[in-house]
């Protein structure tokens, strides 16, 4: 079998495949969130009242993508937008109790998929994978 050296293409396809798999697993368990929406709520669970740009930066999502993501979460009743008391022009994103509850429902599903991925690899492969992903993140952070 010929080795495929189109690394950008392979990363993109793998990313989309994992995302689709997690989203299907969430749906199968009755969770009303996507992987991206779960990421937003996990961040808000750690620290509520973040700006959209701070959430986007943490998740690697452009501002244009964040707007739609937050719109859908707000429409579902999982987040609210509140005025920033320190900057009247800015809005903070806050998780609702329903959003935190849904995030709690998503967490074990995502953890289960993560464990399945890990169990398919030997520990030395996982270590190499972590190293490569870390290097890619360091190399392309902020570009």
């Amino acid at each position: 079998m010929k080795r495929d050296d189109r690394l950008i293409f392979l990363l993109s396809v793998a990313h989309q495949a994992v995302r689709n798999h997690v989203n299907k697993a969430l749906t199968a368990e009755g969770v009303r969130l996507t992987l991206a929406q779960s990421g937003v709520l996990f961040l808000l669970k750690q620290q509520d009242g973040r700006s959209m740009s701070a959430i986007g930066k943490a998740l690697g999502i452009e501002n244009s993508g964040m707007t739609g993501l937050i719109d859908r979460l707000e429409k579902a009743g999982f987040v609210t937008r509140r005025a920033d008391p320190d900057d009247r022009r800015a809005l903070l994103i806050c998780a609702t109790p329903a959003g935190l509850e849904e995030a709690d429902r998503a967490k074990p599903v995502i953890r289960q998929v993560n464990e399945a991925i890990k169990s398919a690899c030997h520990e030395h492969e996982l270590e190499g994978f972590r190293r490569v992903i870390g290097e890619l993140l360091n190399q392309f952070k902020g570009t």
Side-chain angles (χ1 to χ4, degrees), residues 53-69:
S53 60
I55 296 168
K57 185 175 181 180
L59 296 176
I61 299 173
E62 298 288 325
N63 285 342
S64 58
M66 280 303 303
T67 301
L69 187 56

Side-chain angles (χ1 to χ4, degrees), residues 2 5-6 40-41 52 69 73 95 126 130:
K2 187 178 179 211
D5 283 334
R6 301 173 298 164
V40 170
L41 289 168
M52 270 202 283
L69 187 56
L73 283 166
L126 286 173
R130 287 183 195 104

Side-chain angles (χ1 to χ4, degrees), residues 104-134:
D104 287 342
R105 294 182 65 225
K107 191 173 186 174
V109 177
I110 294 168
R111 183 177 286 138
Q112 183 179 26
V113 173
N114 191 64
E115 290 302 317
I117 292 168
K118 287 170 42 180
S119 71
C121 302
H122 295 286
E123 185 57 39
H124 71 277
E125 293 170 321
L126 286 173
E127 218 32 66
F129 184 66
R130 287 183 195 104
R131 184 184 53 74
V132 169
I133 294 296

